Amino acid sequence: MFKKLIVITILGFAGSAFAQDATCTANATEKKLSGAAKTSFLKKCEKDAAAKCDIASKEKKLSGAAKNSFSKKCVRDAVGAA
């Protein structure tokens, strides 16, 4: 029960890592990208976000399911809605 509470608390703050940055999707729209250029941009942006989220999870000393859950939400928040 305590682990679940910790995971929920951490996930609540996961979006704060990218709160100041616009999402990848918003950036692609702002740059008026479409087709292959948009796909390439989003793929690179998602890869960069995954790297940042991995670093953040290491800083928080997460492991196992908590790390996976944190990373998924962190990347999803960074990429934004498609």
Side-chain angles (χ1 to χ4, degrees), residues 12-27:
F13 295 107
S16 65
F18 294 98
Q20 294 136 359
D21 297 334
T23 64
C24 298
T25 306
N27 285 337

Side-chain angles (χ1 to χ4, degrees), residues 10 13-14 16-17 54-63 70:
I10 290 171
F13 295 107
S16 65
D54 188 43
I55 291 170
S57 69
K58 286 179 182 177
E59 288 175 354
K60 295 176 183 283
K61 299 179 180 167
L62 299 175
S63 64
F70 173 83

